[in-house]
Structures are given as structure tokens and as C-alpha cells.
Amino acid sequence: SQQGEEDPQALSIQEGENATMNCSYKTSINNLQWYRQNSGRGLVHLILIRSNEREKHSGRLRVTLDTSKKSSSLLITASRAADTASYFCATDDRGGSNYKLTFGKGTLLTVNP
Amino acid sequence: SAVISQKPSRDICQRGTSLTIQCQVDSQVTMMFWYRQQPGQSLTLIATANQGSEATYESGFVIDKFPISRPNLTFSTLTVSNMSPEDSSIYLCSVGRSRETQYFGPGTRLLVL
């Protein structure tokens, strides 16, 4: 079953603006990851945040995790047209079988030049 | 990281036929997974491909429909059997070495007529 629920389902912004996507989940987790998918191709791993971490940065990406609210956000700063893609959160559930990830429904981000 | 290739990249098949998708990794990995992504949807785990033993299937997926082989630590196949138009999806393999990041192949786009 799908655990993560991304919000919004679709987001359209202008180049240079920031984009924020949210993800909620239901069970306790070991970690939460964000992936990007360009136009129905394979997924690219962006960033992982562990359950004992609250914030993590990687380049123009900033991820936060609030385990009390069971939610995470992905912020892309100074967006570029090349950031246009679908973004998925995925959780590694605490107590679940090793390595199994559960993916959310995704946010389709469109960055207009 | 890992470099993963899938064959074929895309195919158009007639209903009632079967298609075998291959996944090759450039190095030995512990776990390999097969996902399905239906049009406009998120990823759903079909099964975990276990080397030397039968695959572990998720709820809603059965071996007769999706037989999987894993003859060694770098290769796996997924067969979509007795296809119907509802099987039209992107099929992705992924690999994981630890309880964290998974790396995805480019996917196989399947259209069943």
C-alpha cells in the first residue's frame, strides 16, 4: 500500500522561484528519501534523511523531517527548467522487511523558463 | 552507486503473450527489486528478487503472472505473462546494498494492445 502522500500533486512555477513539496506518511520509519523522475524514466536518488535527523541540505535541496507529524518537505531553491520532473518521497518503514521502500504518489513539478 | 541497464527499453505486445525484461547491474548487489508504475501513478513494489531462492511477492502479485529469476548477484529477469492492456506500465528494477538508497534502472515501457 502507498504510505507517502505528496502534496501538492502538481506545482507550476517560474524559473528562479523556490519549490516546496510535502510528504506525509503513516507508520514509524527508519528513513525517508526523495527521488526525481524525468518524464517516465528511471528514478534518481536525491537525498535521504534519517529518522533522528530534522534537516538536511544538498546543493539547492533542503529536506526537513518532522517525525511527530509524520511529514517531510523538499525545498528546491532557485529552480531551473531542468528541475521539471516528478518528485517522489519513499519511506523505509521501521519494523518492515529490510530494504523495502514504500513510495508516495508524487508531485509533478513544472518550472517555466 | 550502481549502473543498471534494462532490456528492452520499450515494447508493444499483443494481449495473451508474455514478455521477459532483463536487469543487469555492473557490480554484485545483495537485493534486487521489481516495481511497476502504471500510467500517471507512483511505483508499486512487485517483488524482491532473491538470489538462489524464490522471489518474495507483495500482496496482489503472484508468481504465475510475474515469474522472476535471479541466477546471480548481478542479473535478474521479470516476465509479464499472459498480458492484458491493464499490464501496460513502466517496469523498473532497482538494487540496494544497504537499508538505505536504492538505485533504479531506466525502466521498460510496455504497451499491451
Side-chain angles (χ1 to χ4, degrees):
Chain A
S1 64
Q2 295 296 329
Q3 155 131 285
E5 295 282 340
E6 278 91 342
D7 151 50
Q9 291 187 344
L11 179 62
S12 181
I13 59 174
Q14 295 300 122
E15 209 165 22
E17 294 180 342
N18 296 340
T20 299
M21 290 160 271
N22 303 297
C23 168
S24 60
Y25 57 92
K26 296 174 182 171
T27 63
S28 296
I29 62 172
N30 290 302
N31 63 65
L32 185 145
Q33 305 177 39
W34 286 90
Y35 287 83
R36 183 184 74 216
Q37 183 180 40
N38 290 86
S39 190
R41 298 182 62 80
L43 274 71
V44 174
H45 181 260
L46 294 176
I47 194 164
L48 178 149
I49 187 164
R50 295 185 177 85
S51 61
N52 61 353
E53 297 176 313
R54 292 297 166 259
E55 186 171 313
K56 205 160 184 182
H57 298 255
S58 176
R60 293 184 296 114
L61 305 180
R62 173 178 170 256
V63 170
T64 62
L65 179 65
D66 187 334
T67 53
S68 66
K69 295 181 179 178
K70 291 187 168 57
S71 68
S72 173
S73 68
L74 172 68
L75 168 67
I76 303 175
T77 60
S79 63
R80 305 166 182 169
D83 295 328
T84 294
S86 291
Y87 292 81
F88 295 92
C89 69
T91 54
D92 173 9
D93 305 335
R94 189 181 300 278
S97 61
N98 281 337
Y99 309 118
K100 179 181 174 180
L101 294 180
T102 304
F103 283 82
K105 295 182 179 179
T107 294
L108 176 59
L109 173 66
T110 303
V111 182
N112 301 300
Chain B
S1 66
V3 177
I4 304 164
S5 61
Q6 283 185 237
K7 290 182 183 179
S9 59
R10 58 178 65 222
D11 208 341
I12 301 173
C13 300
Q14 296 299 318
R15 67 174 69 207
T17 63
S18 296
L19 176 72
T20 295
I21 302 167
Q22 299 179 6
C23 178
Q24 179 76 53
V25 190
D26 66 339
S27 57
Q28 293 185 347
V29 291
T30 307
M31 305 297 277
M32 294 180 79
F33 307 89
W34 287 98
Y35 289 85
R36 181 178 72 183
Q37 186 178 27
Q38 294 176 303
Q41 302 297 313
S42 185
L43 281 75
T44 301
L45 181 63
I46 297 172
T48 301
N50 302 309
Q51 196 268 328
S53 64
E54 209 168 83
T56 305
Y57 289 84
E58 297 299 307
S59 176
F61 297 96
V62 295
I63 188 171
D64 289 347
K65 177 68 175 176
F66 297 102
I68 288 171
S69 78
R70 178 93 189 268
N72 56 53
L73 292 175
T74 63
F75 185 78
S76 178
T77 67
L78 168 75
T79 299
V80 186
S81 303
N82 188 25
M83 289 184 286
S84 68
E86 291 71 36
D87 293 319
S88 297
S89 295
I90 300 173
Y91 292 86
L92 300 114
C93 72
S94 74
V95 304
R97 289 198 179 87
S98 66
R99 193 185 183 119
E100 293 191 342
T101 307
Q102 286 188 22
Y103 299 97
F104 284 80
T108 295
R109 283 180 175 269
L110 172 60
L111 176 63
V112 184
L113 303 177

